[in-house]
Amino acid sequence: MNRIPILRMGDILLVTIQVDMEDQTALALQDDLASRISDTSARGVLIDISALEIVDSFVGRMLASISGIARILDATTVVVGMQPAVAITLVELGLSLTGVRTALNVERGMDLLASARRGRALAR
Amino acid sequence: MNRIPILRMGDILLVTIQVDMEDQTALALQDDLASRISDTSARGVLIDISALEIVDSFVGRMLASISGIARILDATTVVVGMQPAVAITLVELGLSLTGVRTALNVERGMDLLASARRGRALAR
C-alpha cells in the first residue's frame, strides 16, 4: 500500500493526490492528515487533485471527510487543481462536494487560506 | 502512463514523487519540468522524494538530469525528504547524487532556494 506524502510548509500541509484512491490509501491519508494537523498545529490543508482525471463519489466523500476532520481540528481545507472536465462531470453526476472549499491552483488556495486566517483573527 | 503533477508556488515549482519511476514517467517529468520552468520563469525546483523507499541508479540519474536541465534554464533544484534508509543505501551503493542539492524537508529546501537566490542577486 502506498502512503501519500504530506508536505509541511509553515502552518500549511500540502497533499498531492496522484494515484487512484483505494479504500486503504484513503483511510491511511485521513489518519495521517489528522495526526499531522495535530502534531504541527497546521491551520490549513491544501489537497492538489490536478493529476486526477476522475473524481467519483468515493473520492468526493473522502475529500468531504478530510475537510470535516480538519475543521474539527481547527484547520481549513482547500481542494485545488481540479481539471475542468472533472468539474463538469461532478456537476453532471450531481456531486456538489458539499463543505469542500476549492481554488483554481495552489497559489490561489494559499491566498484563500491566508484570507480565511485573517477572517478568523478578526472574529476573535 | 501517469504524469506527475508540477505545482507552482511563486517562483518555485514543487514536484512530489510518489510512484516508482519508469522510463516514460521520468522522461515525461523532465519534459514537463523544462517547459514549466521556461513558461513560468521559475527560479527553483523542489523535488520531494519522501514517499520513495528505494532510490536506485536510474532515479539517481533522473534527479541529476533534471537538476542539470533546470540549471541551464537558470533554476536551482533541491531534492527534499529523503528517508534516512535511502541515504544509507545510496552511500553503500556508491551513488553520490553528484550535482544534486538536498535538504531535509520542504521548508529547509525553500530556505536553501531563498539563500541561493540572495547569493545570485549579490553576485550580480
Side-chain angles (χ1 to χ4, degrees):
Chain A
M1 187 192 70
N2 281 328
R3 278 189 117 78
I4 297 179
I6 300 169
L7 309 185
R8 180 183 181 185
M9 293 181 299
D11 56 359
I12 292 176
L13 300 178
L14 175 67
V15 178
T16 317
I17 296 180
Q18 297 175 20
V19 290
D20 291 329
M21 302 296 283
E22 291 162 19
D23 288 27
Q24 287 303 314
T25 324
L27 285 176
L29 178 61
Q30 282 181 20
D31 285 358
D32 291 350
L33 258 179
S35 312
R36 285 296 291 276
I37 294 171
S38 166
D39 291 349
T40 63
S41 312
R43 306 307 298 263
V45 177
L46 280 177
I47 303 181
D48 176 82
I49 59 167
S50 58
L52 294 187
E53 286 172 4
I54 296 168
V55 171
D56 55 13
S57 60
F58 173 70
V59 175
R61 270 200 308 276
M62 181 200 69
L63 294 174
S65 161
I66 285 176
S67 188
I69 295 168
R71 193 178 305 120
I72 296 174
L73 295 170
D74 198 19
T76 309
T77 305
V78 181
V79 173
V80 300
M82 189 183 292
Q83 294 184 18
V86 169
I88 293 169
T89 313
L90 277 178
V91 170
E92 281 175 358
L93 290 175
L95 298 171
S96 56
L97 293 187
T98 319
V100 178
R101 291 192 193 203
T102 52
L104 194 62
N105 53 39
V106 173
E107 289 185 315
R108 294 227 199 148
M110 285 185 164
D111 290 348
L112 187 57
L113 287 176
S115 61
R117 202 152 46 212
R118 276 197 301 274
R120 196 152 48 185
L122 288 174
R124 271 175 189 158
Chain B
M1 189 192 69
N2 281 328
R3 277 189 118 77
I4 297 178
I6 299 169
L7 309 185
R8 180 183 182 184
M9 291 182 299
D11 57 359
I12 292 177
L13 300 178
L14 175 68
V15 177
T16 318
I17 296 181
Q18 297 176 18
V19 290
D20 290 329
M21 301 296 282
E22 291 162 19
D23 288 26
Q24 288 303 314
T25 324
L27 285 176
L29 178 61
Q30 282 183 20
D31 286 358
D32 291 350
L33 257 179
S35 313
R36 285 295 291 275
I37 293 171
S38 166
D39 293 349
T40 62
S41 311
R43 306 306 300 261
V45 177
L46 280 177
I47 304 181
D48 176 82
I49 59 166
S50 57
L52 295 188
E53 285 173 4
I54 296 169
V55 171
D56 55 14
S57 60
F58 172 71
V59 175
R61 270 201 308 278
M62 182 202 68
L63 294 174
S65 162
I66 285 177
S67 187
I69 295 168
R71 193 179 305 119
I72 296 174
L73 295 170
D74 198 19
T76 308
T77 305
V78 181
V79 172
V80 301
M82 187 184 292
Q83 294 184 18
V86 170
I88 293 169
T89 314
L90 277 178
V91 171
E92 281 175 355
L93 290 175
L95 299 171
S96 56
L97 293 188
T98 319
V100 178
R101 290 189 194 206
T102 52
L104 194 63
N105 53 39
V106 174
E107 290 186 313
R108 294 228 200 150
M110 286 186 163
D111 290 348
L112 186 58
L113 287 176
S115 62
R117 203 153 44 214
R118 276 196 301 276
R120 198 155 43 186
L122 288 174
R124 271 175 189 158

